[in-house]
Amino acid sequence: MGRVHLSFDNGPHPEVTPRVLDALRRRGLSATFFVLGRNLDTPWGMELARRIRDEGHRLGNHSYSHAVPLGDDPRPDAVAQELERTQDLLDRVASGPLWFRPFGGGGVLGPHLLSEDSLRWLMARQATCVLWNAVPEDWLDAEGWAARALDQLDAQGHSVLVLHDVLPEAMAHLDAFLGAMLDRGHRVTDALPADCLPVVQGQARPGLEGCVRWRGPDMLEAVLSPR
Ligand SMILES: [Zn+2]
């Protein structure tokens, strides 16, 4: 029995996101959707973002292109291209605290998640960086992810579960998974565990150091100290 924060990454998707929203609504559950700018940047993407908002879920920034993790992105304008461009779209539909989730490439945590520039942007925007601790790899196993997710939720008291509302076959099992999860006594929560939050409203938290590709040994202090 534990608490579970549900999150759906990489959408919205014109066919899958509506079905995910239907399943959540039927069960009265709320989730966070970490969306891609390139999907939002379409008429249907903005329409779905409004539906996500109107049905009581949260929206977060998950980069524009989802091509290269920010810590590995060599482009000098990566923050503008990936973060600002997506946030400009999100700001048209959502207000409130800015949530960002970096992408890890297969759910992997490490210094590839953030660049110094992207960390500075998060701090300037007073953003909260939301990581994860339960990744059942729904993109690899459309059938088996649900059983793996239940095992992961059973093993810890407070989970941040990562699913993807862009996978038609995997998300066909979402409703059954949600039922099994609730039957086991897990409860869905808006709260996030501290160890999944390396940055909270622009402030550094324990664990941040290992999430950033630092340019030099003294950069952590330089970034964190006020200029
Ligand atoms: Zn992703």
Side-chain angles (χ1 to χ4, degrees), residues 9-10 62 66 103:
D9 288 7
N10 297 11
H62 190 45
H66 203 273
F103 71 102

Side-chain angles (χ1 to χ4, degrees), residues 68-102:
V68 180
L70 287 164
D72 295 337
D73 193 331
R75 293 174 296 170
D77 62 345
V79 166
Q81 292 295 331
E82 299 295 334
L83 303 185
E84 283 177 17
R85 199 172 169 199
T86 303
Q87 197 60 40
D88 286 347
L89 293 160
L90 269 176
D91 285 345
R92 291 190 217 163
V93 287
S95 55
L98 195 168
W99 283 14
F100 170 72
R101 167 169 284 165

Side-chain angles (χ1 to χ4, degrees), residues 116-117 119-121 123-124 219 221-227:
E116 287 180 9
D117 288 348
L119 173 60
R120 284 199 177 92
W121 185 83
M123 297 178 119
M219 292 313 292
E221 214 169 314
V223 167
L224 299 187
S225 59
R227 279 172 290 169

Side-chain angles (χ1 to χ4, degrees), residues 125-144:
R125 297 293 301 256
Q126 299 188 309
T128 293
C129 182
V130 181
L131 302 181
W132 53 84
N133 60 15
V135 182
E137 299 188 324
D138 54 348
W139 68 92
L140 291 179
D141 185 354
E143 301 253 340

Side-chain angles (χ1 to χ4, degrees), residues 22 26 71 146 159:
D22 290 346
R26 265 198 302 277
S159 297

